[in-house]
Amino acid sequence: VYSIAFTTSSGYSGIPGCCLRPVEKPRRKSLEAELSRLDKPFLFLPLKALGSQKFEASFFYYPFKGKWSSVFDAVFHIDEMKWTTYRYYSHRLGREQPYLPFSKRK
């Protein structure tokens, strides 16, 4: 089993239309802040490259310092997290259409 943690440094988290909230800005020396400085939209980092080094990273958007290479094998960093375009069937309209979060409705 190969365990990959997904992380981000900006954008939104939650469920569109229900619990969508902005991602808090990462702390200055956190893993997310360091990966964001590389200015790549997506980044895959095998944690073995960091050895047994301890560093701060967010877990469910709360900062924790630890030896993350003993918890996960790799990190997939998404610089800006965006919500998916969820589609549903509208019986009223008789067709499929995208569901937009409350903040995006016109």
Side-chain angles (χ1 to χ4, degrees):
V1 174
Y2 194 81
S3 178
I4 302 172
F6 284 80
T7 187
T8 188
S9 51
S10 67
Y12 292 87
S13 70
I15 302 167
C18 169
C19 318
L20 202 59
R21 65 185 178 115
V23 172
E24 292 182 22
K25 185 176 178 181
R27 292 167 68 145
R28 194 168 57 91
K29 292 188 177 186
S30 68
L31 177 67
E32 291 84 1
E34 296 294 331
L35 294 176
S36 182
R37 282 197 254 305
L38 297 175
D39 201 28
K40 303 279 184 192
F42 306 102
L43 190 74
F44 181 80
L45 174 67
L47 293 178
K48 283 187 181 180
L50 300 177
S52 61
Q53 180 181 350
K54 287 186 177 181
F55 55 91
E56 185 177 288
S58 293
F59 191 67
F60 290 104
Y61 305 102
Y62 294 100
F64 291 96
K65 188 170 186 173
K67 184 180 160 192
W68 289 102
S69 61
S70 65
V71 180
F72 299 107
D73 295 307
V75 168
F76 190 89
H77 180 76
I78 301 169
D79 196 46
E80 182 184 3
M81 186 70 74
K82 297 179 182 177
W83 53 77
T84 66
T85 303
Y86 172 73
R87 300 186 69 79
Y88 71 99
Y89 185 82
S90 169
H91 291 281
R92 185 175 60 81
L93 299 175
R95 62 183 160 94
E96 246 190 35
Q97 72 176 50
Y99 177 83
L100 298 175
F102 296 113
S103 61
K104 289 287 189 176
R105 290 185 181 167
K106 293 182 180 180

